Every structure is written in structure tokens, then in C-alpha cells.
Amino acid sequence: MLLKLPQDPPPLWPRFRSPLRSTALTARIGRVLGICFGLCFVTGMLSHYQYHPWSWLPEPAVPVWLYRVTQGVHVTTGTISIPLLLVKLWSVYPNLFRWPLVTSVKNALERLSIAVLVASALVELTTGYLNVLNWYPWPWDFVPVHRFLAYVVIGSLLLHIAIKLPDIKYGLGVPVAKGDVLTEKPWSDNPDSWSNNDHEPPPPPAPTGISRRGVLIATGTGVGLVVATQVGQSITPLEPIGLLAVRQHQKGPLGVPINRTADQAAVRELALAPTWALRVEGPQPYELSLADVLNMSVHEASFPISCVEGWSVGAHWQGLRLLDVVRRAGGDADSHVEVRSLEPKGSYNRSFVHGPQVSHALLATHLNGERLTIDHGYPLRLIAPDRAGVLNTKWLTGVRVL
Ligand SMILES: Nc1nc2c(c(=O)[nH]1)N[C@H]1C(S)=C(S)[C@@H](COP(=O)(O)O)O[C@H]1N2
Ligand SMILES: [Mo]
């Protein structure tokens, strides 16, 4: 006991009597949520790796759909974690009102670790979803904070699982309709620990309204609907029911959505200038005029464009092979290559290619059989398989062999 507190809570202190809330229910929701958090974390790290690959382990170029799948899983698991987390919090929030609020130093630390987990998870998931909507109503840089918070979430989640292991084992071991009612046991019954092991099932609660199984079914249905109406942004055949799919390929020119237009990037004039040329730097520098570029644009490839925000769509590309351009400048398949955009500002106005992607990348002039539109990167853009969309720089001006 930290302080000498009154034995009983104040008279207006909330009391929770719902027989729906139980360790069995919480553990089942928690298991699915834990799997989602795990998948979201791992795929998020893969995405981070796309931005900052190690030079000794460059990103692969095959299978061409790899990033499409990992990033689709990242955004989908993150999105469904929002309703799952809300149900999970609903199932345990009466614990906030246990009396006394803390019973020991250990108990206080446990509560603090949960506060960190809940707060970081809520911020991580909400800002992640708002990022998908391209809305940034906060003053910090999204990407580094999103990554840092991911470590906080996963660290405090692992701690939480370790602390709650006895409850998790108990909760998953009893049928969901049976088992203790989480909130009926007064805190003061177990002053030493929040997680008590001696769960003694009280007499089964009288059935009223929805059952615990009903809560699980409703949650599962809701999550299923979110998945079905969202994955249309990466699984194109499901697009017609993609109510929550933020970007849809039919809504962009040439069947591909656009994240940033030429006007937003302030490149329209530069990209349309008749003097446009591609400057290639390296041991043997040279320039390609627009006519040269179009003459050399004879290579075709099909691979998806996959945005970090989760949308992706298969596409057919035609262009010059980056490797040919690099070789003519004196480089080869092992070169590190910098591809630069006309875009004056912004962190995505240049992109680095090395490893297997050098041999697979195209400097594309055509998309799905037609000349690139200005918003898709006219006159020339980078595109490589298994590469985050944001790294496929548009409106090229130069290639540098490093
Ligand atoms: N120069 C430049 N290239 C860019 C961007 C940008 O903002 N500037 N956006 C990127 C992002 S986030 C994506 S997903 C793809 C989208 O390509 P699209 O607009 O042709 O679909 O372009 C990438 N290329
Ligand atoms: Mo993107």
C-alpha cells in the first residue's frame, strides 16, 4: 500500500456490472489485436527498410508484388486495429476505476505501462490512418514519429503480455460464455496485484441482451466489413465495394491514382518546357533530348505501383532501361544510381537505386499504353518493381551514377 486510502470508493464512483466483460472475452479480442499489431509492426519495418536499405542488403526486385502485399497488409492490419482496440478498451476500461486506484509500487508500474501502451497505440493508429487520408493535422514529421512510436507500442505491448500472461492463459482456456466476470471482483480483494491468478468463476450471469459470443461475432463482422470495403485499394477486383478504399484506380488518369499532382509539386512549366533534356552524370556524362528518350523507349514491363499509404494497382510500363542509361555513362549493374526530379522542393524529389532494382527499373515514358500524363510524371519517371511508390520519382531531370 502506497498511501492509507479509504477502504471504500466515494459514493458516486462508477460501478460496472456487465456480465459481458470477462477475461475470456478480453483475451480473445486481445489475441487477434496482438496478431494485427505484430503483422503491422513487421510490415512497417519492411517499409522503413524500403526507405533506408542497407547497402549490403539492397531491396529485391522480385517477386514484383512483394511490397504491394507487405504494405497492403500493413495498412489493412493497422486500420482494423482501430475498431479492435476500441472493443478491447471497452472490455477492460472499468479497471480504470478500480478502488483504490493503485495498491502497490508494482501495481502502479503496471498501470503506467498500460497507460503508455494505450496512449501510444491510439496516437499511432489514428495518425497512421489520417496519413492514408493524406491529412496531417499535427506539427511533427509523420514518418520518424510513426516509426519511433511503433517501438514504444511494441515494447509496451510485449511488457503488457508478459505481465498479463496468467490472465491470458486463463482467458483463452475457458469457453467464452463461461469464466469470471472481469469487473465483479473488487480490486481490494487482491491488493498485491492487478492480475490475479485465482479466477474463480462466479455463478454464470443471467442472460440479458447480447451474449459474449454475440460481442465477438459483432466485432468480427464489423472488422470483416472494414477489410472488405478497404482492400479494394490494393485488390483491384474488390474495388466496386471499396467504400473505405481511399484511392481507386478508376479515379486516376490511365487507371492509376495520383498522390501528388504536377501543380502541387510546382513542376508543370519545367516538365512541359521544349528544352527539357535528361542529364546523365557519371564517368562519361551525356544528355538525352526528349526525342532521344522516345526513340530509346522500347522496353516494356508489367508491375504494380504500390504506395506506402496502402493503395496499389497493377500497371503496364514502357520506357528506357535504367541499366542501359547507366552503362552508357560508364556504370554497371552494381552502380549506385541517383535519379533526380524537376521538383524543386521536398524529400521525394530524388531517389536512390542500387542492387537488383537497377537492372529492373525503367525510366518510363508510357503507362498502360499511353504517353504519361503530366500528373503521372511526364515527360519521364522512374518505376521499378517491388519498390515503394514514393521512391518512384516523377518528372525526371537527371540520372547520376555514383
Ligand atoms: N517527384 C515526385 N515524385 C513522386 C512523388 C512526389 O511527390 N514527387 N510522389 C510519389 C508517391 S507518394 C507515389 S505513391 C507515386 C505515385 O505515382 P502516380 O502519381 O503516378 O500514381 O509517385 C511518387 N513520385
Ligand atoms: Mo505514395
Side-chain angles (χ1 to χ4, degrees), residues 279-306:
R279 265 190 311 277
V280 186
E281 294 165 67
Q284 298 137 39
Y286 61 95
E287 261 190 32
L288 295 175
S289 69
L290 190 52
D292 297 334
V293 161
L294 287 172
N295 275 335
M296 291 168 68
S297 174
V298 294
H299 299 279
E300 295 184 38
S302 282
F303 37 75
I305 178 157
S306 321

mmCIF file of all heavy atoms in Angstrom, residues 279-306:
data_model
loop_
_atom_site.group_PDB
_atom_site.id
_atom_site.type_symbol
_atom_site.label_atom_id
_atom_site.label_comp_id
_atom_site.label_asym_id
_atom_site.label_seq_id
_atom_site.Cartn_x
_atom_site.Cartn_y
_atom_site.Cartn_z
ATOM 1 N N ARG A 279 19.751 14.852 -68.141
ATOM 2 C CA ARG A 279 21.206 14.938 -67.964
ATOM 3 C C ARG A 279 21.698 13.704 -67.221
ATOM 4 O O ARG A 279 21.201 13.401 -66.137
ATOM 5 C CB ARG A 279 21.568 16.183 -67.165
ATOM 6 C CG ARG A 279 21.929 17.368 -68.029
ATOM 7 C CD ARG A 279 22.520 18.486 -67.197
ATOM 8 N NE ARG A 279 21.685 18.773 -66.025
ATOM 9 C CZ ARG A 279 20.616 19.551 -66.058
ATOM 10 N NH1 ARG A 279 20.250 20.139 -67.180
ATOM 11 N NH2 ARG A 279 19.901 19.767 -64.971
ATOM 12 N N VAL A 280 22.631 13.004 -67.837
ATOM 13 C CA VAL A 280 23.161 11.800 -67.208
ATOM 14 C C VAL A 280 24.594 12.081 -66.776
ATOM 15 O O VAL A 280 25.430 12.464 -67.593
ATOM 16 C CB VAL A 280 23.100 10.594 -68.174
ATOM 17 C CG1 VAL A 280 23.508 9.328 -67.444
ATOM 18 C CG2 VAL A 280 21.698 10.454 -68.759
ATOM 19 N N GLU A 281 24.857 11.956 -65.480
ATOM 20 C CA GLU A 281 26.201 12.218 -64.957
ATOM 21 C C GLU A 281 26.860 10.914 -64.561
ATOM 22 O O GLU A 281 26.192 9.992 -64.112
ATOM 23 C CB GLU A 281 26.132 13.140 -63.728
ATOM 24 C CG GLU A 281 25.627 14.538 -64.040
ATOM 25 C CD GLU A 281 25.229 15.252 -62.755
ATOM 26 O OE1 GLU A 281 26.121 15.539 -61.955
ATOM 27 O OE2 GLU A 281 24.024 15.489 -62.572
ATOM 28 N N GLY A 282 28.177 10.873 -64.712
ATOM 29 C CA GLY A 282 28.943 9.679 -64.388
ATOM 30 C C GLY A 282 30.306 9.822 -65.011
ATOM 31 O O GLY A 282 30.666 10.910 -65.465
ATOM 32 N N PRO A 283 31.062 8.729 -65.085
ATOM 33 C CA PRO A 283 32.379 8.815 -65.723
ATOM 34 C C PRO A 283 32.285 9.376 -67.145
ATOM 35 O O PRO A 283 33.156 10.117 -67.581
ATOM 36 C CB PRO A 283 32.859 7.360 -65.730
ATOM 37 C CG PRO A 283 32.125 6.716 -64.591
ATOM 38 C CD PRO A 283 30.815 7.425 -64.472
ATOM 39 N N GLN A 284 31.213 9.010 -67.887
ATOM 40 C CA GLN A 284 31.028 9.579 -69.239
ATOM 41 C C GLN A 284 29.672 10.276 -69.322
ATOM 42 O O GLN A 284 28.687 9.669 -69.721
ATOM 43 C CB GLN A 284 31.074 8.465 -70.300
ATOM 44 C CG GLN A 284 32.395 7.720 -70.365
ATOM 45 C CD GLN A 284 32.176 6.212 -70.489
ATOM 46 O OE1 GLN A 284 31.278 5.768 -71.192
ATOM 47 N NE2 GLN A 284 33.004 5.443 -69.797
ATOM 48 N N PRO A 285 29.611 11.555 -68.933
ATOM 49 C CA PRO A 285 28.324 12.253 -68.894
ATOM 50 C C PRO A 285 27.764 12.519 -70.291
ATOM 51 O O PRO A 285 28.531 12.636 -71.251
ATOM 52 C CB PRO A 285 28.644 13.571 -68.181
ATOM 53 C CG PRO A 285 30.121 13.709 -68.212
ATOM 54 C CD PRO A 285 30.733 12.389 -68.513
ATOM 55 N N TYR A 286 26.462 12.587 -70.391
ATOM 56 C CA TYR A 286 25.825 12.925 -71.672
ATOM 57 C C TYR A 286 24.415 13.417 -71.411
ATOM 58 O O TYR A 286 23.939 13.388 -70.269
ATOM 59 C CB TYR A 286 25.818 11.722 -72.624
ATOM 60 C CG TYR A 286 25.063 10.513 -72.107
ATOM 61 C CD1 TYR A 286 23.719 10.307 -72.459
ATOM 62 C CD2 TYR A 286 25.666 9.586 -71.274
ATOM 63 C CE1 TYR A 286 23.014 9.200 -71.994
ATOM 64 C CE2 TYR A 286 24.970 8.477 -70.798
ATOM 65 C CZ TYR A 286 23.642 8.286 -71.162
ATOM 66 O OH TYR A 286 22.955 7.211 -70.691
ATOM 67 N N GLU A 287 23.754 13.841 -72.467
ATOM 68 C CA GLU A 287 22.382 14.331 -72.358
ATOM 69 C C GLU A 287 21.492 13.618 -73.350
ATOM 70 O O GLU A 287 21.927 13.282 -74.449
ATOM 71 C CB GLU A 287 22.332 15.834 -72.667
ATOM 72 C CG GLU A 287 22.296 16.685 -71.424
ATOM 73 C CD GLU A 287 22.008 18.159 -71.738
ATOM 74 O OE1 GLU A 287 21.276 18.467 -72.703
ATOM 75 O OE2 GLU A 287 22.532 18.988 -70.984
ATOM 76 N N LEU A 288 20.245 13.390 -72.976
ATOM 77 C CA LEU A 288 19.264 12.815 -73.902
ATOM 78 C C LEU A 288 18.142 13.822 -74.088
ATOM 79 O O LEU A 288 17.562 14.281 -73.100
ATOM 80 C CB LEU A 288 18.689 11.516 -73.345
ATOM 81 C CG LEU A 288 19.627 10.318 -73.163
ATOM 82 C CD1 LEU A 288 18.893 9.171 -72.489
ATOM 83 C CD2 LEU A 288 20.204 9.876 -74.498
ATOM 84 N N SER A 289 17.864 14.153 -75.342
ATOM 85 C CA SER A 289 16.726 15.043 -75.610
ATOM 86 C C SER A 289 15.441 14.232 -75.495
ATOM 87 O O SER A 289 15.471 12.999 -75.406
ATOM 88 C CB SER A 289 16.837 15.621 -77.016
ATOM 89 O OG SER A 289 16.613 14.567 -77.945
ATOM 90 N N LEU A 290 14.316 14.925 -75.544
ATOM 91 C CA LEU A 290 13.037 14.220 -75.476
ATOM 92 C C LEU A 290 12.912 13.233 -76.638
ATOM 93 O O LEU A 290 12.446 12.110 -76.471
ATOM 94 C CB LEU A 290 11.891 15.238 -75.493
ATOM 95 C CG LEU A 290 10.499 14.687 -75.182
ATOM 96 C CD1 LEU A 290 10.485 13.899 -73.890
ATOM 97 C CD2 LEU A 290 9.483 15.825 -75.119
ATOM 98 N N ALA A 291 13.407 13.646 -77.819
ATOM 99 C CA ALA A 291 13.336 12.750 -78.986
ATOM 100 C C ALA A 291 14.199 11.517 -78.766
ATOM 101 O O ALA A 291 13.784 10.387 -79.070
ATOM 102 C CB ALA A 291 13.770 13.502 -80.245
ATOM 103 N N ASP A 292 15.420 11.702 -78.221
ATOM 104 C CA ASP A 292 16.287 10.543 -77.917
ATOM 105 C C ASP A 292 15.578 9.587 -76.964
ATOM 106 O O ASP A 292 15.592 8.372 -77.135
ATOM 107 C CB ASP A 292 17.576 11.001 -77.212
ATOM 108 C CG ASP A 292 18.431 11.923 -78.078
ATOM 109 O OD1 ASP A 292 18.315 11.824 -79.317
ATOM 110 O OD2 ASP A 292 19.178 12.736 -77.492
ATOM 111 N N VAL A 293 14.979 10.184 -75.937
ATOM 112 C CA VAL A 293 14.322 9.375 -74.912
ATOM 113 C C VAL A 293 13.215 8.537 -75.550
ATOM 114 O O VAL A 293 13.101 7.333 -75.313
ATOM 115 C CB VAL A 293 13.770 10.293 -73.794
ATOM 116 C CG1 VAL A 293 12.720 9.589 -72.972
ATOM 117 C CG2 VAL A 293 14.915 10.784 -72.914
ATOM 118 N N LEU A 294 12.406 9.178 -76.402
ATOM 119 C CA LEU A 294 11.288 8.445 -77.013
ATOM 120 C C LEU A 294 11.802 7.363 -77.960
ATOM 121 O O LEU A 294 11.230 6.282 -78.051
ATOM 122 C CB LEU A 294 10.354 9.415 -77.738
ATOM 123 C CG LEU A 294 9.496 10.265 -76.779
ATOM 124 C CD1 LEU A 294 8.738 11.348 -77.526
ATOM 125 C CD2 LEU A 294 8.531 9.393 -75.974
ATOM 126 N N ASN A 295 12.912 7.635 -78.669
ATOM 127 C CA ASN A 295 13.497 6.614 -79.547
ATOM 128 C C ASN A 295 13.959 5.394 -78.776
ATOM 129 O O ASN A 295 13.874 4.276 -79.259
ATOM 130 C CB ASN A 295 14.699 7.194 -80.300
ATOM 131 C CG ASN A 295 14.254 7.920 -81.550
ATOM 132 O OD1 ASN A 295 13.191 7.619 -82.085
ATOM 133 N ND2 ASN A 295 15.058 8.885 -81.980
ATOM 134 N N MET A 296 14.509 5.643 -77.568
ATOM 135 C CA MET A 296 15.051 4.534 -76.779
ATOM 136 C C MET A 296 13.968 3.832 -75.953
ATOM 137 O O MET A 296 14.242 2.819 -75.309
ATOM 138 C CB MET A 296 16.124 5.066 -75.816
ATOM 139 C CG MET A 296 17.387 5.545 -76.515
ATOM 140 S SD MET A 296 18.439 6.460 -75.342
ATOM 141 C CE MET A 296 18.954 5.147 -74.229
ATOM 142 N N SER A 297 12.768 4.377 -75.986
ATOM 143 C CA SER A 297 11.713 3.850 -75.123
ATOM 144 C C SER A 297 11.030 2.647 -75.764
ATOM 145 O O SER A 297 9.938 2.750 -76.303
ATOM 146 C CB SER A 297 10.691 4.955 -74.833
ATOM 147 O OG SER A 297 9.606 4.424 -74.127
ATOM 148 N N VAL A 298 11.712 1.504 -75.708
ATOM 149 C CA VAL A 298 11.198 0.314 -76.393
ATOM 150 C C VAL A 298 11.024 -0.870 -75.437
ATOM 151 O O VAL A 298 10.633 -1.946 -75.850
ATOM 152 C CB VAL A 298 12.134 -0.104 -77.554
ATOM 153 C CG1 VAL A 298 12.144 0.957 -78.643
ATOM 154 C CG2 VAL A 298 13.550 -0.354 -77.036
ATOM 155 N N HIS A 299 11.324 -0.669 -74.175
ATOM 156 C CA HIS A 299 11.234 -1.794 -73.223
ATOM 157 C C HIS A 299 9.918 -1.729 -72.464
ATOM 158 O O HIS A 299 9.486 -0.650 -72.064
ATOM 159 C CB HIS A 299 12.418 -1.761 -72.265
ATOM 160 C CG HIS A 299 13.726 -1.886 -72.971
ATOM 161 N ND1 HIS A 299 14.226 -3.096 -73.381
ATOM 162 C CD2 HIS A 299 14.600 -0.947 -73.410
ATOM 163 C CE1 HIS A 299 15.363 -2.906 -74.018
ATOM 164 N NE2 HIS A 299 15.628 -1.595 -74.050
ATOM 165 N N GLU A 300 9.314 -2.914 -72.287
ATOM 166 C CA GLU A 300 8.017 -2.948 -71.611
ATOM 167 C C GLU A 300 8.072 -3.873 -70.415
ATOM 168 O O GLU A 300 8.828 -4.846 -70.408
ATOM 169 C CB GLU A 300 6.930 -3.428 -72.579
ATOM 170 C CG GLU A 300 6.710 -2.461 -73.720
ATOM 171 C CD GLU A 300 5.572 -2.874 -74.629
ATOM 172 O OE1 GLU A 300 4.559 -3.386 -74.117
ATOM 173 O OE2 GLU A 300 5.713 -2.690 -75.849
ATOM 174 N N ALA A 301 7.297 -3.555 -69.418
ATOM 175 C CA ALA A 301 7.233 -4.418 -68.239
ATOM 176 C C ALA A 301 5.910 -4.176 -67.528
ATOM 177 O O ALA A 301 5.343 -3.084 -67.603
ATOM 178 C CB ALA A 301 8.390 -4.099 -67.286
ATOM 179 N N SER A 302 5.426 -5.226 -66.854
ATOM 180 C CA SER A 302 4.203 -5.092 -66.063
ATOM 181 C C SER A 302 4.555 -5.274 -64.606
ATOM 182 O O SER A 302 5.050 -6.322 -64.225
ATOM 183 C CB SER A 302 3.193 -6.174 -66.455
ATOM 184 O OG SER A 302 2.564 -5.814 -67.651
ATOM 185 N N PHE A 303 4.357 -4.239 -63.845
ATOM 186 C CA PHE A 303 4.404 -4.427 -62.402
ATOM 187 C C PHE A 303 3.610 -3.344 -61.702
ATOM 188 O O PHE A 303 3.377 -2.267 -62.255
ATOM 189 C CB PHE A 303 5.818 -4.546 -61.831
ATOM 190 C CG PHE A 303 6.857 -3.686 -62.477
ATOM 191 C CD1 PHE A 303 6.904 -2.318 -62.226
ATOM 192 C CD2 PHE A 303 7.815 -4.243 -63.308
ATOM 193 C CE1 PHE A 303 7.875 -1.530 -62.809
ATOM 194 C CE2 PHE A 303 8.788 -3.462 -63.890
ATOM 195 C CZ PHE A 303 8.818 -2.106 -63.636
ATOM 196 N N PRO A 304 3.181 -3.650 -60.471
ATOM 197 C CA PRO A 304 2.297 -2.712 -59.791
ATOM 198 C C PRO A 304 3.040 -1.471 -59.318
ATOM 199 O O PRO A 304 4.264 -1.494 -59.147
ATOM 200 C CB PRO A 304 1.787 -3.505 -58.593
ATOM 201 C CG PRO A 304 2.806 -4.556 -58.351
ATOM 202 C CD PRO A 304 3.418 -4.873 -59.675
ATOM 203 N N ILE A 305 2.276 -0.418 -59.126
ATOM 204 C CA ILE A 305 2.778 0.719 -58.373
ATOM 205 C C ILE A 305 2.094 0.646 -57.018
ATOM 206 O O ILE A 305 0.879 0.491 -56.934
ATOM 207 C CB ILE A 305 2.545 2.056 -59.106
ATOM 208 C CG1 ILE A 305 3.047 3.213 -58.246
ATOM 209 C CG2 ILE A 305 1.099 2.268 -59.528
ATOM 210 C CD1 ILE A 305 3.385 4.450 -59.055
ATOM 211 N N SER A 306 2.889 0.672 -55.947
ATOM 212 C CA SER A 306 2.357 0.399 -54.614
ATOM 213 C C SER A 306 2.738 1.530 -53.687
ATOM 214 O O SER A 306 3.903 1.702 -53.359
ATOM 215 C CB SER A 306 2.938 -0.899 -54.061
ATOM 216 O OG SER A 306 3.038 -1.872 -55.072
#
